[in-house]
């Protein structure tokens, strides 16, 4: 793929990814409520979901995705249910236990990754970007295997930068809350944000 096309894609993806949506809300709420532990695994799952939709777009499988609408509907509800579960955990977790080793160890990286993947597969925002907007940005019929690999690499790079910025800012903001009362309020506030992200996905 030519450099100009790759830059256009990366720029459009950066703008789309950086704009707040259910995915960003879930990542930020998770870091604010639980700390940065596990955020990488969850973010990788979110990015893998983007690659799935990118693959559908490059292969011209938008019609197939529509045909399997029921499957993706189930995935959407699974992602929303996972976000609600995380919201419940955030709302009910004791403030003093947020950073303990036991609490962190209880969260499986694989489960976090799958949760992020389900979130993106059911999130209308990346679906619209890859299946509706991307074909107007790039001539996907001319994408070779090498070009596809470059697009995947660009996707991981752009999303990695965006997610790292949000995770870093959220982690820094979280350190401002030191008292148990403040941590409990933050915990419940981020749980509410997480529940809102689940509702946004389920409603679309």
């Amino acid at each position: 793929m030519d450099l100009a096309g790759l830059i256009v894609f990366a720029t459009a993806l950066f703008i789309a990814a950086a704009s707040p949506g259910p995915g960003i809300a879930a990542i930020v709420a998770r870091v604010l409520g639980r700390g940065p532990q596990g955020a990488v695994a969850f973010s990788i799952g979110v990015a893998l979901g983007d690659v799935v939709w990118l693959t559908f777009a490059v292969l011209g499988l938008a019609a197939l995705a529509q045909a399997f609408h029921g499957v993706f509907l189930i995935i959407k509800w699974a992602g929303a249910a996972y976000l609600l579960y995380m919201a419940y955990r955030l709302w009910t977790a004791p403030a003093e236990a947020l950073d303990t080793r036991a609490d962190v160890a209880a969260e499986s990286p694989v489960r976090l990754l799958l949760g992020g993947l389900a979130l993106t597969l059911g999130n209308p925002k990346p679906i619209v970007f890859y299946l509706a907007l991307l074909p107007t940005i790039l001539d996907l019929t001319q994408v070779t295997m090498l070009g596809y690999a470059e697009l995947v690499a660009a996707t991981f790079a752009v999303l990695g930068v965006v997610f790292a910025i949000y995770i870093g800012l959220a982690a820094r903001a979280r350190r401002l809350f030191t008292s148990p009362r403040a941590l409990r309020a933050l915990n419940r506030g981020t749980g509410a944000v997480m529940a809102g992200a689940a509702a946004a996905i389920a409603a679309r």
Side-chain angles (χ1 to χ4, degrees):
M1 170 169 291
D2 63 281
L3 182 60
L6 204 57
I7 292 175
V8 169
F9 167 75
T11 302
L13 178 60
F14 181 86
I15 294 172
S19 62
I24 291 297
I27 291 172
V28 170
R30 186 200 147 69
V31 175
L32 286 174
R34 312 288 287 180
Q37 299 88 346
V40 173
F42 186 77
S43 299
I44 289 174
V46 173
L48 285 175
D50 273 61
V51 171
V52 170
W53 288 120
L54 169 65
T55 304
F56 268 80
V58 171
L59 295 179
L61 297 180
L64 183 61
Q66 185 64 33
F68 284 89
H69 174 71
V71 174
F72 288 106
L73 189 62
I74 293 173
I75 294 174
K76 179 180 81 169
W77 284 106
Y82 180 74
L83 287 181
L84 286 175
Y85 167 73
M86 291 178 66
Y88 171 77
R89 289 286 302 275
L90 286 169
W91 187 274
T92 59
E96 63 272 16
L98 288 178
D99 288 320
T100 62
R101 289 181 178 270
D103 189 60
V104 173
E107 297 184 290
S108 163
V110 173
R111 187 175 66 181
L112 289 169
L113 187 148
L114 292 177
L117 176 62
L119 169 64
T120 306
L121 292 181
N123 184 357
K125 182 181 173 183
I127 296 173
V128 170
F129 177 80
Y130 289 105
L131 298 187
L133 298 181
L134 185 57
T136 68
I137 298 173
L138 298 175
D139 183 1
L140 297 179
T141 63
Q142 301 300 316
V143 175
T144 63
M145 285 299 297
L146 177 59
Y148 169 74
E150 292 171 342
L151 289 173
V152 170
T155 299
F156 278 120
V158 170
L159 294 181
V161 169
V162 171
F163 295 161
I165 291 173
Y166 274 106
I167 290 171
L169 291 175
R172 177 170 295 185
R174 186 176 187 275
R175 286 196 290 270
L176 299 176
F177 296 83
T178 55
S179 70
R181 176 175 294 182
L183 282 174
R184 187 174 295 107
L186 176 64
N187 220 25
R188 293 185 173 182
T190 53
V193 171
M194 194 79 76
I201 288 177
R204 296 183 182 181

